[in-house]
mmCIF file of all heavy atoms in Angstrom:
data_model
loop_
_atom_site.group_PDB
_atom_site.id
_atom_site.type_symbol
_atom_site.label_atom_id
_atom_site.label_comp_id
_atom_site.label_asym_id
_atom_site.label_seq_id
_atom_site.Cartn_x
_atom_site.Cartn_y
_atom_site.Cartn_z
ATOM 1 N N ALA A 90 -22.432 -30.187 -5.955
ATOM 2 C CA ALA A 90 -22.450 -31.246 -6.968
ATOM 3 C C ALA A 90 -21.219 -32.116 -6.764
ATOM 4 O O ALA A 90 -20.388 -31.839 -5.904
ATOM 5 C CB ALA A 90 -22.428 -30.648 -8.380
ATOM 6 N N SER A 91 -21.113 -33.140 -7.604
ATOM 7 C CA SER A 91 -19.893 -33.926 -7.650
ATOM 8 C C SER A 91 -19.094 -33.469 -8.859
ATOM 9 O O SER A 91 -19.655 -33.248 -9.936
ATOM 10 C CB SER A 91 -20.232 -35.410 -7.761
ATOM 11 O OG SER A 91 -19.049 -36.186 -7.837
ATOM 12 N N TYR A 92 -17.789 -33.322 -8.682
ATOM 13 C CA TYR A 92 -16.913 -32.870 -9.770
ATOM 14 C C TYR A 92 -15.957 -34.009 -10.102
ATOM 15 O O TYR A 92 -15.220 -34.490 -9.242
ATOM 16 C CB TYR A 92 -16.157 -31.608 -9.364
ATOM 17 C CG TYR A 92 -17.099 -30.430 -9.212
ATOM 18 C CD1 TYR A 92 -17.794 -30.221 -8.031
ATOM 19 C CD2 TYR A 92 -17.325 -29.557 -10.276
ATOM 20 C CE1 TYR A 92 -18.685 -29.163 -7.905
ATOM 21 C CE2 TYR A 92 -18.212 -28.494 -10.155
ATOM 22 C CZ TYR A 92 -18.895 -28.310 -8.970
ATOM 23 O OH TYR A 92 -19.787 -27.269 -8.859
ATOM 24 N N ILE A 93 -15.995 -34.412 -11.351
ATOM 25 C CA ILE A 93 -15.268 -35.593 -11.790
ATOM 26 C C ILE A 93 -14.183 -35.200 -12.784
ATOM 27 O O ILE A 93 -14.448 -34.496 -13.760
ATOM 28 C CB ILE A 93 -16.222 -36.617 -12.442
ATOM 29 C CG1 ILE A 93 -17.361 -36.967 -11.475
ATOM 30 C CG2 ILE A 93 -15.458 -37.878 -12.837
ATOM 31 C CD1 ILE A 93 -18.468 -37.792 -12.117
ATOM 32 N N CYS A 94 -12.973 -35.670 -12.518
ATOM 33 C CA CYS A 94 -11.847 -35.448 -13.429
ATOM 34 C C CYS A 94 -11.766 -36.653 -14.361
ATOM 35 O O CYS A 94 -11.771 -37.806 -13.905
ATOM 36 C CB CYS A 94 -10.565 -35.289 -12.612
ATOM 37 S SG CYS A 94 -9.063 -35.085 -13.580
ATOM 38 N N VAL A 95 -11.688 -36.398 -15.646
ATOM 39 C CA VAL A 95 -11.674 -37.466 -16.652
ATOM 40 C C VAL A 95 -10.521 -37.221 -17.611
ATOM 41 O O VAL A 95 -10.396 -36.134 -18.171
ATOM 42 C CB VAL A 95 -12.998 -37.508 -17.436
ATOM 43 C CG1 VAL A 95 -13.006 -38.694 -18.391
ATOM 44 C CG2 VAL A 95 -14.186 -37.570 -16.491
ATOM 45 N N VAL A 96 -9.696 -38.248 -17.802
ATOM 46 C CA VAL A 96 -8.540 -38.105 -18.682
ATOM 47 C C VAL A 96 -8.724 -38.987 -19.906
ATOM 48 O O VAL A 96 -8.993 -40.187 -19.786
ATOM 49 C CB VAL A 96 -7.224 -38.457 -17.962
ATOM 50 C CG1 VAL A 96 -6.038 -38.277 -18.910
ATOM 51 C CG2 VAL A 96 -7.045 -37.585 -16.721
ATOM 52 N N TYR A 97 -8.578 -38.378 -21.086
ATOM 53 C CA TYR A 97 -8.701 -39.094 -22.339
ATOM 54 C C TYR A 97 -7.306 -39.423 -22.853
ATOM 55 O O TYR A 97 -6.412 -38.566 -22.868
ATOM 56 C CB TYR A 97 -9.449 -38.237 -23.364
ATOM 57 C CG TYR A 97 -10.934 -38.115 -23.097
ATOM 58 C CD1 TYR A 97 -11.407 -37.323 -22.050
ATOM 59 C CD2 TYR A 97 -11.856 -38.789 -23.882
ATOM 60 C CE1 TYR A 97 -12.768 -37.210 -21.801
ATOM 61 C CE2 TYR A 97 -13.225 -38.677 -23.636
ATOM 62 C CZ TYR A 97 -13.665 -37.887 -22.597
ATOM 63 O OH TYR A 97 -15.008 -37.779 -22.354
ATOM 64 N N SER A 98 -7.140 -40.668 -23.276
ATOM 65 C CA SER A 98 -5.850 -41.134 -23.762
ATOM 66 C C SER A 98 -5.837 -41.137 -25.280
ATOM 67 O O SER A 98 -6.839 -41.474 -25.906
ATOM 68 C CB SER A 98 -5.578 -42.541 -23.234
ATOM 69 O OG SER A 98 -4.368 -43.039 -23.758
ATOM 70 N N GLY A 99 -4.712 -40.776 -25.848
ATOM 71 C CA GLY A 99 -4.598 -40.778 -27.285
ATOM 72 C C GLY A 99 -4.747 -42.181 -27.845
ATOM 73 O O GLY A 99 -4.165 -43.125 -27.335
ATOM 74 N N GLY A 100 -5.576 -42.332 -28.862
ATOM 75 C CA GLY A 100 -5.755 -43.632 -29.484
ATOM 76 C C GLY A 100 -6.752 -44.537 -28.799
ATOM 77 O O GLY A 100 -7.004 -45.647 -29.262
ATOM 78 N N SER A 101 -7.340 -44.094 -27.698
ATOM 79 C CA SER A 101 -8.319 -44.909 -26.987
ATOM 80 C C SER A 101 -9.667 -44.214 -26.980
ATOM 81 O O SER A 101 -9.745 -42.995 -26.845
ATOM 82 C CB SER A 101 -7.875 -45.166 -25.550
ATOM 83 O OG SER A 101 -8.904 -45.806 -24.818
ATOM 84 N N TYR A 102 -10.720 -44.989 -27.106
ATOM 85 C CA TYR A 102 -12.068 -44.440 -27.031
ATOM 86 C C TYR A 102 -12.674 -44.618 -25.647
ATOM 87 O O TYR A 102 -13.863 -44.393 -25.459
ATOM 88 C CB TYR A 102 -12.953 -45.112 -28.084
ATOM 89 C CG TYR A 102 -12.523 -44.777 -29.493
ATOM 90 C CD1 TYR A 102 -11.760 -45.652 -30.250
ATOM 91 C CD2 TYR A 102 -12.860 -43.550 -30.062
ATOM 92 C CE1 TYR A 102 -11.352 -45.329 -31.534
ATOM 93 C CE2 TYR A 102 -12.466 -43.215 -31.341
ATOM 94 C CZ TYR A 102 -11.720 -44.116 -32.071
ATOM 95 O OH TYR A 102 -11.315 -43.800 -33.339
#
Side-chain angles (χ1 to χ4, degrees):
Chain A
S91 179
Y92 292 84
I93 305 171
C94 177
V95 185
V96 181
Y97 287 73
S98 177
S101 172
Y102 294 100

